[in-house]
Amino acid sequence: MKIEEIEFILEPLREQLRSHELYNELKSLSDIQIFMESHVYAVWDFMSLLKALQINLTCTTLPWKPVSNTNTARFINEIVLEEETDVNELGVLKSHYEMYLDAMVEVGADTTKISEFLNGVKTLDSILEVIENSDLNIAVKSFLNFTFETINSQQPHKIAAAFTFGREELIPDMFLKIVDQAGKDAYPKLEYYLRRHIELDGDDHGPLSLKMIQELCGDDETKWHDVLEYSEKALQQRINLWNHIATAIQQNKEITV
């Protein structure tokens, strides 16, 4: 099994995401608010997947020793640099997660719930218990549980699968349409975040993450089958999250009519 075969098998799930009803529901500022209040957890846990890869694929312990695959280590370090310490629209250094929070505030979305949740997160050992005891909706809980169960496997190829194939493809384009409708410079933080997201994922992160999986799996068929399994699970978790958000937006529209 190779990366092309993985992509072929995953195509039906990816098509479900590309054609999901959620995209047609995103038509107003209130729709964006509802979306962002659930999606922010996926923005946050993406960073945990990334840091898990950094821990496993680069040297983060002392004394330092050279890693087995410098190409993969370079790729991960580059993404960490851009995701954890990028430059926002004002030239200030911020993580993409912090930029997303700023964009949420800008559009009037509630950030208190994610902030309170993170305040309760202390260690990796307790994260699943914290998720279970939280008041998050079932779709977000399931999404986060899958992420941290994958991280706890401590198997880089499985983590890389969730990292590579579990991301959304169309949301930035849909958001930009709404931002454009609002008028020039109406939401500069959100617009900057989205355009930066498109730039990095399309030009750099997407192609390089596929190469990372190839290097992690090599000729090991068991690893390739693991990648397929975890990629399918990651995509299904994303679909389930989209289902929940679409329903929440629909219900809100019924209330406000």
Side-chain angles (χ1 to χ4, degrees), residues 10 19 21 43 45 62 64 84 94 153 155 163 181 183 189 199 210 229 235 237 249:
L10 293 178
S19 60
E21 63 175 337
V43 175
D45 82 345
L62 295 173
W64 178 88
E84 194 171 37
K94 284 199 172 185
S153 76
Q155 298 187 57
F163 175 87
Q181 290 171 3
K189 295 183 183 299
E199 175 188 0
L210 294 176
E229 177 187 352
L235 286 168
Q237 287 293 336
I249 291 173

Side-chain angles (χ1 to χ4, degrees), residues 22 25-26 31 34-36 38-39 139 240-250:
L22 172 62
E25 296 293 338
L26 291 170
D31 299 337
I34 292 170
F35 174 85
M36 295 183 81
S38 284
H39 179 243
N240 294 344
L241 182 61
W242 270 201
N243 290 343
H244 169 82
I245 297 174
T247 299
I249 291 173
Q250 291 163 359

